[in-house]
Amino acid sequence: MGNKVRELRTSKRISIRQLALQAGISPSYLSRLENGKIKNRVKLTTVEKIAKGLRVPTYVFAQAAGIPEAKEPVPSNVRPYDANDIIQIPVVGTIRCGPNGLAMNDYQGYESVSKDDIVEGENYFWLITAGDSMIGDHIQPDDYALIQRGSDFNNGDICAVIVDGEEGTLKHVTKTRDSIVLTASNSAYPPRVFVGEQMNDIYIAGKLVEIKHKF
């Protein structure tokens, strides 16, 4: 541990006296520690003081001091990576209505997704987003939208929708027996209402499951 303390202290251009003041321990103790003259195990409280003085995580010195229980903290939202839990889903640039139903054009490779985020047996595709009509839902141009194929959705869900056979778009969908309303989350775009026979022009390709932002 003494070598580690000296290495970091000198790299930060801090003298032993400065570190002692910042850590709240004696300069002589630090000098003996760096020169390997401390024979007993360094206490965790002392390790914490030195780490605080050098502004580094405690575990950096705790491991060097032989304190195994003081390991690098792992964020609570981190999940262990297992290649068997990842599958590849095709990425498409556009979707349209084809003669046999949904036509997906402009394939652009594959994008990964965790098995925990999808339903086994269902079909999915990634759609590259365009435009700013859904920025209220933090959906930006060139994001990757994971779509679960099918016409089942709840009112208010964001769905990939094809209007009159044209290129697909993401919108909130509200459907009743007499109408279908497509609503953007950008107030610059008014809702589009389809009634009567106009409802036949609407094709629900699937509902949004996940958004990936690319940086």
Side-chain angles (χ1 to χ4, degrees), residues 133-147:
S133 66
M134 298 299 288
I135 58 174
D137 290 295
H138 308 289
I139 300 174
Q140 306 290 339
D142 298 322
D143 282 349
Y144 283 52
L146 180 61
I147 306 299

Side-chain angles (χ1 to χ4, degrees), residues 150-153 159-162 173 180 182 202-207:
S151 57
D152 292 337
F153 67 94
C159 296
V161 184
I162 300 173
V173 180
I180 296 177
L182 305 183
I202 305 299
Y203 181 84
I204 308 297
K207 65 180 180 180

Side-chain angles (χ1 to χ4, degrees), residues 1-207:
M1 178 179 169
N3 291 334
K4 190 72 174 178
V5 172
R6 182 190 298 109
E7 175 188 338
L8 286 176
R9 179 180 61 76
T10 55
S11 69
K12 292 176 178 287
R13 298 181 180 180
I14 299 174
S15 68
I16 287 182
R17 186 170 295 278
Q18 287 175 314
L19 177 56
L21 182 63
Q22 293 171 186
I25 56 182
S26 70
S28 62
Y29 180 88
L30 276 176
S31 178
R32 287 186 291 123
L33 177 65
E34 289 189 3
N35 289 290
K37 295 182 178 180
I38 302 296
K39 302 303 181 182
N40 298 325
R41 173 180 288 185
V42 180
K43 295 180 179 180
L44 181 58
T45 53
T46 303
V47 172
E48 291 172 343
K49 289 180 180 179
I50 296 173
K52 183 178 180 180
L54 285 170
R55 295 180 174 82
V56 297
T58 300
Y59 73 84
V60 171
F61 291 131
Q63 292 177 353
I67 305 175
E69 62 271 19
K71 298 180 180 180
E72 180 177 3
V74 177
S76 60
N77 63 337
V78 170
R79 293 185 297 182
Y81 173 78
D82 186 341
N84 294 322
D85 291 336
I86 303 298
I87 62 174
Q88 300 297 316
I89 302 293
V91 178
V92 296
T94 60
I95 55 174
R96 298 179 185 273
C97 283
N100 298 313
L102 180 64
M104 295 186 290
N105 303 321
D106 188 22
Y107 277 94
Q108 300 189 25
Y110 292 84
E111 183 71 21
S112 62
V113 64
S114 170
K115 288 182 178 179
D116 293 339
D117 294 334
I118 61 176
V119 178
E120 186 176 356
E122 296 291 334
N123 293 319
Y124 296 83
F125 63 92
W126 289 99
L127 179 66
I128 299 178
T129 61
D132 62 354
S133 66
M134 298 299 288
I135 58 174
D137 290 295
H138 308 289
I139 300 174
Q140 306 290 339
D142 298 322
D143 282 349
Y144 283 52
L146 180 61
I147 306 299
Q148 180 180 349
R149 292 183 61 171
S151 57
D152 292 337
F153 67 94
N154 296 316
N155 279 338
D157 284 348
I158 299 175
C159 296
V161 184
I162 300 173
V163 181
D164 196 22
E166 298 177 356
E167 185 173 331
T169 180
L170 290 179
K171 293 291 182 292
H172 290 278
V173 180
T174 303
K175 183 177 182 180
T176 67
R177 197 172 82 176
D178 303 317
S179 68
I180 296 177
V181 181
L182 305 183
T183 307
S185 59
N186 182 343
S187 59
Y189 297 84
R192 301 177 66 182
V193 182
F194 300 83
V195 297
E197 293 184 358
Q198 293 177 329
M199 296 170 64
N200 297 327
D201 296 333
I202 305 299
Y203 181 84
I204 308 297
K207 65 180 180 180

